[in-house]
mmCIF file of all heavy atoms in Angstrom:
data_model
loop_
_atom_site.group_PDB
_atom_site.id
_atom_site.type_symbol
_atom_site.label_atom_id
_atom_site.label_comp_id
_atom_site.label_asym_id
_atom_site.label_seq_id
_atom_site.Cartn_x
_atom_site.Cartn_y
_atom_site.Cartn_z
ATOM 1 N N GLY Y 1 -75.918 0.353 -81.814
ATOM 2 C CA GLY Y 1 -77.132 -0.198 -81.568
ATOM 3 C C GLY Y 1 -78.355 0.490 -82.240
ATOM 4 O O GLY Y 1 -79.469 0.056 -82.131
ATOM 5 N N LYS Y 2 -78.009 1.517 -82.956
ATOM 6 C CA LYS Y 2 -79.103 2.366 -83.715
ATOM 7 C C LYS Y 2 -78.739 2.444 -85.136
ATOM 8 O O LYS Y 2 -77.647 2.194 -85.540
ATOM 9 C CB LYS Y 2 -79.056 3.763 -83.171
ATOM 10 C CG LYS Y 2 -79.386 3.873 -81.662
ATOM 11 C CD LYS Y 2 -79.463 5.305 -81.155
ATOM 12 C CE LYS Y 2 -80.658 6.106 -81.722
ATOM 13 N NZ LYS Y 2 -80.713 7.479 -81.262
ATOM 14 N N GLU Y 3 -79.731 2.679 -85.903
ATOM 15 C CA GLU Y 3 -79.557 2.886 -87.289
ATOM 16 C C GLU Y 3 -78.947 4.152 -87.696
ATOM 17 O O GLU Y 3 -79.095 5.138 -86.863
ATOM 18 C CB GLU Y 3 -80.989 2.827 -87.988
ATOM 19 C CG GLU Y 3 -81.829 1.547 -87.791
ATOM 20 C CD GLU Y 3 -81.136 0.472 -88.576
ATOM 21 O OE1 GLU Y 3 -80.808 0.734 -89.732
ATOM 22 O OE2 GLU Y 3 -81.283 -0.701 -88.155
ATOM 23 N N ARG Y 4 -78.311 4.173 -88.865
ATOM 24 C CA ARG Y 4 -77.751 5.421 -89.326
ATOM 25 C C ARG Y 4 -78.873 6.400 -89.702
ATOM 26 O O ARG Y 4 -79.979 6.020 -90.371
ATOM 27 C CB ARG Y 4 -76.801 5.106 -90.542
ATOM 28 C CG ARG Y 4 -76.122 6.294 -91.046
ATOM 29 C CD ARG Y 4 -75.184 5.874 -92.211
ATOM 30 N NE ARG Y 4 -74.116 4.898 -91.699
ATOM 31 C CZ ARG Y 4 -73.072 4.418 -92.398
ATOM 32 N NH1 ARG Y 4 -72.920 4.896 -93.585
ATOM 33 N NH2 ARG Y 4 -72.282 3.586 -91.873
ATOM 34 N N GLU Y 5 -78.738 7.618 -89.296
ATOM 35 C CA GLU Y 5 -79.780 8.574 -89.449
ATOM 36 C C GLU Y 5 -79.222 9.883 -90.061
ATOM 37 O O GLU Y 5 -78.008 10.211 -89.805
ATOM 38 C CB GLU Y 5 -80.406 8.836 -88.096
ATOM 39 C CG GLU Y 5 -79.527 9.585 -87.131
ATOM 40 C CD GLU Y 5 -80.209 10.205 -85.879
ATOM 41 O OE1 GLU Y 5 -81.492 10.315 -85.820
ATOM 42 O OE2 GLU Y 5 -79.607 10.365 -84.832
ATOM 43 N N GLY Y 6 -79.930 10.570 -90.779
ATOM 44 C CA GLY Y 6 -79.577 11.757 -91.390
ATOM 45 C C GLY Y 6 -79.551 12.903 -90.290
ATOM 46 O O GLY Y 6 -80.497 12.968 -89.597
ATOM 47 N N VAL Y 7 -78.543 13.625 -90.414
ATOM 48 C CA VAL Y 7 -78.311 14.814 -89.486
ATOM 49 C C VAL Y 7 -78.705 16.159 -90.129
ATOM 50 O O VAL Y 7 -79.468 16.946 -89.687
ATOM 51 C CB VAL Y 7 -77.031 14.811 -88.903
ATOM 52 C CG1 VAL Y 7 -76.780 16.100 -88.033
ATOM 53 C CG2 VAL Y 7 -76.739 13.587 -88.107
ATOM 54 N N SER Y 8 -78.000 16.379 -91.375
ATOM 55 C CA SER Y 8 -78.224 17.517 -92.027
ATOM 56 C C SER Y 8 -77.795 17.256 -93.533
ATOM 57 O O SER Y 8 -77.039 16.386 -93.784
ATOM 58 C CB SER Y 8 -77.440 18.668 -91.500
ATOM 59 O OG SER Y 8 -77.631 19.889 -92.233
ATOM 60 N N CYS Y 9 -78.169 18.076 -94.454
ATOM 61 C CA CYS Y 9 -77.778 17.955 -95.754
ATOM 62 C C CYS Y 9 -77.786 19.370 -96.407
ATOM 63 O O CYS Y 9 -78.427 20.310 -95.950
ATOM 64 C CB CYS Y 9 -78.544 16.991 -96.671
ATOM 65 S SG CYS Y 9 -80.186 17.406 -97.024
ATOM 66 N N ILE Y 10 -76.946 19.514 -97.405
ATOM 67 C CA ILE Y 10 -76.987 20.754 -98.229
ATOM 68 C C ILE Y 10 -76.895 20.469 -99.693
ATOM 69 O O ILE Y 10 -76.117 19.597 -100.138
ATOM 70 C CB ILE Y 10 -75.775 21.647 -97.650
ATOM 71 C CG1 ILE Y 10 -75.733 23.048 -98.412
ATOM 72 C CG2 ILE Y 10 -74.431 20.942 -97.972
ATOM 73 C CD1 ILE Y 10 -74.685 24.064 -97.756
ATOM 74 N N SER Y 11 -77.729 21.149 -100.570
ATOM 75 C CA SER Y 11 -77.760 20.980 -101.862
ATOM 76 C C SER Y 11 -76.494 21.712 -102.581
ATOM 77 O O SER Y 11 -75.761 22.401 -101.939
ATOM 78 C CB SER Y 11 -78.957 21.490 -102.403
ATOM 79 O OG SER Y 11 -79.040 22.887 -102.666
ATOM 80 N N SER Y 12 -76.479 21.482 -103.869
ATOM 81 C CA SER Y 12 -75.356 22.002 -104.649
ATOM 82 C C SER Y 12 -75.365 23.508 -104.555
ATOM 83 O O SER Y 12 -74.367 24.207 -104.801
ATOM 84 C CB SER Y 12 -75.246 21.494 -106.063
ATOM 85 O OG SER Y 12 -76.488 21.874 -106.743
ATOM 86 N N ILE Y 13 -76.483 24.155 -104.457
ATOM 87 C CA ILE Y 13 -76.550 25.658 -104.338
ATOM 88 C C ILE Y 13 -76.888 26.061 -102.915
ATOM 89 O O ILE Y 13 -77.302 27.287 -102.881
ATOM 90 C CB ILE Y 13 -77.585 26.215 -105.380
ATOM 91 C CG1 ILE Y 13 -79.014 25.690 -105.159
ATOM 92 C CG2 ILE Y 13 -77.055 25.888 -106.855
ATOM 93 C CD1 ILE Y 13 -80.002 26.278 -106.033
ATOM 94 N N GLY Y 14 -76.867 25.345 -101.954
ATOM 95 C CA GLY Y 14 -77.001 25.657 -100.610
ATOM 96 C C GLY Y 14 -78.264 25.499 -99.867
ATOM 97 O O GLY Y 14 -78.388 26.054 -98.817
ATOM 98 N N TYR Y 15 -79.209 24.917 -100.460
ATOM 99 C CA TYR Y 15 -80.379 24.457 -99.794
ATOM 100 C C TYR Y 15 -80.114 23.651 -98.569
ATOM 101 O O TYR Y 15 -79.313 22.673 -98.886
ATOM 102 C CB TYR Y 15 -81.469 23.875 -100.620
ATOM 103 C CG TYR Y 15 -82.598 23.336 -100.137
ATOM 104 C CD1 TYR Y 15 -83.798 23.982 -99.832
ATOM 105 C CD2 TYR Y 15 -82.568 21.887 -99.730
ATOM 106 C CE1 TYR Y 15 -84.921 23.407 -99.218
ATOM 107 C CE2 TYR Y 15 -83.668 21.236 -99.138
ATOM 108 C CZ TYR Y 15 -84.806 22.021 -98.791
ATOM 109 O OH TYR Y 15 -85.974 21.424 -98.365
ATOM 110 N N THR Y 16 -80.646 23.753 -97.397
ATOM 111 C CA THR Y 16 -80.264 22.995 -96.276
ATOM 112 C C THR Y 16 -81.490 22.390 -95.624
ATOM 113 O O THR Y 16 -82.639 22.950 -95.665
ATOM 114 C CB THR Y 16 -79.492 23.723 -95.248
ATOM 115 O OG1 THR Y 16 -80.365 24.845 -94.762
ATOM 116 C CG2 THR Y 16 -78.300 24.243 -95.871
ATOM 117 N N LYS Y 17 -81.256 21.199 -94.945
ATOM 118 C CA LYS Y 17 -82.269 20.542 -94.166
ATOM 119 C C LYS Y 17 -81.522 19.916 -92.989
ATOM 120 O O LYS Y 17 -80.334 19.807 -92.875
ATOM 121 C CB LYS Y 17 -82.885 19.337 -94.925
ATOM 122 C CG LYS Y 17 -83.595 19.671 -96.159
ATOM 123 C CD LYS Y 17 -84.074 18.489 -96.956
ATOM 124 C CE LYS Y 17 -85.010 17.535 -96.098
ATOM 125 N NZ LYS Y 17 -85.602 16.421 -96.912
ATOM 126 N N TYR Y 18 -82.430 19.847 -91.864
ATOM 127 C CA TYR Y 18 -81.842 19.480 -90.557
ATOM 128 C C TYR Y 18 -82.955 18.475 -89.947
ATOM 129 O O TYR Y 18 -84.154 18.592 -90.066
ATOM 130 C CB TYR Y 18 -81.610 20.586 -89.692
ATOM 131 C CG TYR Y 18 -80.561 21.498 -90.141
ATOM 132 C CD1 TYR Y 18 -80.938 22.749 -90.831
ATOM 133 C CD2 TYR Y 18 -79.322 21.469 -89.669
ATOM 134 C CE1 TYR Y 18 -80.030 23.687 -91.226
ATOM 135 C CE2 TYR Y 18 -78.321 22.386 -90.172
ATOM 136 C CZ TYR Y 18 -78.699 23.480 -90.880
ATOM 137 O OH TYR Y 18 -77.822 24.303 -91.422
ATOM 138 N N ALA Y 19 -82.256 17.525 -89.309
ATOM 139 C CA ALA Y 19 -83.165 16.683 -88.408
ATOM 140 C C ALA Y 19 -83.699 17.509 -87.286
ATOM 141 O O ALA Y 19 -83.147 18.450 -86.789
ATOM 142 C CB ALA Y 19 -82.335 15.542 -87.876
ATOM 143 N N ASP Y 20 -84.967 17.228 -86.898
ATOM 144 C CA ASP Y 20 -85.546 17.902 -85.897
ATOM 145 C C ASP Y 20 -84.604 17.852 -84.618
ATOM 146 O O ASP Y 20 -84.670 18.891 -83.728
ATOM 147 C CB ASP Y 20 -86.917 17.400 -85.534
ATOM 148 C CG ASP Y 20 -87.930 17.744 -86.567
ATOM 149 O OD1 ASP Y 20 -87.745 18.637 -87.322
ATOM 150 O OD2 ASP Y 20 -88.939 17.016 -86.557
ATOM 151 N N SER Y 21 -84.045 16.844 -84.313
ATOM 152 C CA SER Y 21 -83.281 16.645 -83.175
ATOM 153 C C SER Y 21 -82.134 17.611 -83.040
ATOM 154 O O SER Y 21 -81.591 17.845 -81.995
ATOM 155 C CB SER Y 21 -82.762 15.205 -83.008
ATOM 156 O OG SER Y 21 -81.963 14.851 -84.051
ATOM 157 N N VAL Y 22 -81.632 18.222 -84.028
ATOM 158 C CA VAL Y 22 -80.333 19.110 -84.211
ATOM 159 C C VAL Y 22 -80.776 20.434 -84.682
ATOM 160 O O VAL Y 22 -79.890 21.361 -84.574
ATOM 161 C CB VAL Y 22 -79.275 18.550 -84.998
ATOM 162 C CG1 VAL Y 22 -79.018 17.091 -84.561
ATOM 163 C CG2 VAL Y 22 -79.558 18.581 -86.542
ATOM 164 N N LYS Y 23 -82.029 20.740 -85.037
ATOM 165 C CA LYS Y 23 -82.348 22.028 -85.632
ATOM 166 C C LYS Y 23 -82.191 23.117 -84.531
ATOM 167 O O LYS Y 23 -82.577 22.921 -83.409
ATOM 168 C CB LYS Y 23 -83.834 21.933 -86.183
ATOM 169 C CG LYS Y 23 -84.224 23.035 -86.916
ATOM 170 C CD LYS Y 23 -85.677 22.885 -87.669
ATOM 171 C CE LYS Y 23 -85.682 21.617 -88.400
ATOM 172 N NZ LYS Y 23 -86.946 21.371 -88.967
ATOM 173 N N GLY Y 24 -81.531 24.119 -84.939
ATOM 174 C CA GLY Y 24 -81.272 25.197 -84.099
ATOM 175 C C GLY Y 24 -79.911 25.107 -83.328
ATOM 176 O O GLY Y 24 -79.498 26.087 -82.683
ATOM 177 N N ARG Y 25 -79.247 23.958 -83.303
ATOM 178 C CA ARG Y 25 -78.092 23.675 -82.720
ATOM 179 C C ARG Y 25 -76.879 23.391 -83.744
ATOM 180 O O ARG Y 25 -75.669 23.842 -83.471
ATOM 181 C CB ARG Y 25 -78.129 22.521 -81.704
ATOM 182 C CG ARG Y 25 -79.161 22.634 -80.660
ATOM 183 C CD ARG Y 25 -79.060 21.482 -79.696
ATOM 184 N NE ARG Y 25 -79.360 20.128 -80.252
ATOM 185 C CZ ARG Y 25 -78.598 19.156 -80.250
ATOM 186 N NH1 ARG Y 25 -77.366 19.210 -79.761
ATOM 187 N NH2 ARG Y 25 -78.985 18.089 -80.895
ATOM 188 N N PHE Y 26 -77.183 22.778 -84.943
ATOM 189 C CA PHE Y 26 -76.286 22.466 -85.877
ATOM 190 C C PHE Y 26 -76.375 23.371 -87.076
ATOM 191 O O PHE Y 26 -77.578 23.680 -87.500
ATOM 192 C CB PHE Y 26 -76.419 21.015 -86.322
ATOM 193 C CG PHE Y 26 -75.909 19.973 -85.257
ATOM 194 C CD1 PHE Y 26 -75.801 20.377 -83.899
ATOM 195 C CD2 PHE Y 26 -75.865 18.662 -85.549
ATOM 196 C CE1 PHE Y 26 -75.409 19.414 -83.050
ATOM 197 C CE2 PHE Y 26 -75.457 17.682 -84.684
ATOM 198 C CZ PHE Y 26 -75.357 18.107 -83.368
ATOM 199 N N THR Y 27 -75.421 23.623 -87.766
ATOM 200 C CA THR Y 27 -75.275 24.417 -89.026
ATOM 201 C C THR Y 27 -74.466 23.693 -90.096
ATOM 202 O O THR Y 27 -73.268 23.480 -89.846
ATOM 203 C CB THR Y 27 -74.848 25.787 -88.877
ATOM 204 O OG1 THR Y 27 -75.789 26.454 -87.780
ATOM 205 C CG2 THR Y 27 -75.012 26.660 -90.039
ATOM 206 N N ILE Y 28 -74.975 23.468 -91.267
ATOM 207 C CA ILE Y 28 -74.223 22.992 -92.343
ATOM 208 C C ILE Y 28 -73.823 24.114 -93.229
ATOM 209 O O ILE Y 28 -74.665 24.942 -93.481
ATOM 210 C CB ILE Y 28 -74.894 21.755 -93.029
ATOM 211 C CG1 ILE Y 28 -74.035 21.026 -93.981
ATOM 212 C CG2 ILE Y 28 -76.195 22.205 -93.713
ATOM 213 C CD1 ILE Y 28 -74.604 19.792 -94.440
ATOM 214 N N SER Y 29 -72.638 24.044 -93.755
ATOM 215 C CA SER Y 29 -72.232 25.024 -94.755
ATOM 216 C C SER Y 29 -71.221 24.364 -95.651
ATOM 217 O O SER Y 29 -70.693 23.343 -95.469
ATOM 218 C CB SER Y 29 -71.599 26.220 -93.957
ATOM 219 O OG SER Y 29 -70.419 25.850 -93.355
ATOM 220 N N ARG Y 30 -70.927 24.979 -96.749
ATOM 221 C CA ARG Y 30 -70.007 24.613 -97.749
ATOM 222 C C ARG Y 30 -69.072 25.709 -98.174
ATOM 223 O O ARG Y 30 -69.516 26.933 -98.315
ATOM 224 C CB ARG Y 30 -70.633 23.890 -98.940
ATOM 225 C CG ARG Y 30 -71.602 24.767 -99.799
ATOM 226 C CD ARG Y 30 -72.368 23.850 -100.788
ATOM 227 N NE ARG Y 30 -71.615 23.011 -101.522
ATOM 228 C CZ ARG Y 30 -71.909 21.879 -102.033
ATOM 229 N NH1 ARG Y 30 -73.254 21.391 -101.822
ATOM 230 N NH2 ARG Y 30 -71.138 21.127 -102.841
ATOM 231 N N ASP Y 31 -67.827 25.395 -98.314
ATOM 232 C CA ASP Y 31 -66.854 26.348 -98.936
ATOM 233 C C ASP Y 31 -66.235 25.635 -100.138
ATOM 234 O O ASP Y 31 -65.420 24.767 -100.146
ATOM 235 C CB ASP Y 31 -65.643 26.641 -97.816
ATOM 236 C CG ASP Y 31 -64.798 27.564 -98.369
ATOM 237 O OD1 ASP Y 31 -64.582 27.875 -99.474
ATOM 238 O OD2 ASP Y 31 -63.989 28.153 -97.504
ATOM 239 N N ASN Y 32 -66.732 25.978 -101.355
ATOM 240 C CA ASN Y 32 -66.497 25.450 -102.522
ATOM 241 C C ASN Y 32 -65.007 25.653 -102.970
ATOM 242 O O ASN Y 32 -64.314 24.829 -103.531
ATOM 243 C CB ASN Y 32 -67.444 25.833 -103.655
ATOM 244 C CG ASN Y 32 -68.764 25.336 -103.609
ATOM 245 O OD1 ASN Y 32 -69.022 24.329 -102.979
ATOM 246 N ND2 ASN Y 32 -69.753 26.017 -104.182
ATOM 247 N N ALA Y 33 -64.521 26.780 -102.558
ATOM 248 C CA ALA Y 33 -63.061 27.091 -102.815
ATOM 249 C C ALA Y 33 -62.155 26.179 -102.053
ATOM 250 O O ALA Y 33 -61.023 25.835 -102.572
ATOM 251 C CB ALA Y 33 -62.672 28.506 -102.352
ATOM 252 N N LYS Y 34 -62.560 25.640 -100.946
ATOM 253 C CA LYS Y 34 -61.660 24.648 -100.192
ATOM 254 C C LYS Y 34 -62.137 23.168 -100.365
ATOM 255 O O LYS Y 34 -61.652 22.367 -99.828
ATOM 256 C CB LYS Y 34 -61.764 25.040 -98.713
ATOM 257 C CG LYS Y 34 -61.251 26.294 -98.392
ATOM 258 C CD LYS Y 34 -61.180 26.582 -96.800
ATOM 259 C CE LYS Y 34 -60.553 27.864 -96.425
ATOM 260 N NZ LYS Y 34 -60.690 28.166 -95.036
#
């Protein structure tokens, strides 16, 4: 019943953003080797 919402994102060089609702609780990361 809700719209799709952004949670977090990470740029190609590691810049990150978080929705206010998850900030401090969620962490996005990338492992390019994997």
Side-chain angles (χ1 to χ4, degrees):
K2 298 182 67 176
E3 297 291 324
R4 186 171 300 187
E5 65 173 343
V7 177
S8 182
C9 66
I10 185 166
S11 79
S12 61
I13 62 169
Y15 171 90
T16 59
K17 294 175 65 176
Y18 297 91
D20 288 342
S21 59
V22 308
K23 195 171 298 181
R25 300 188 296 122
F26 291 10
T27 303
I28 191 169
S29 62
R30 62 193 305 151
D31 186 339
N32 289 335
K34 296 181 179 179

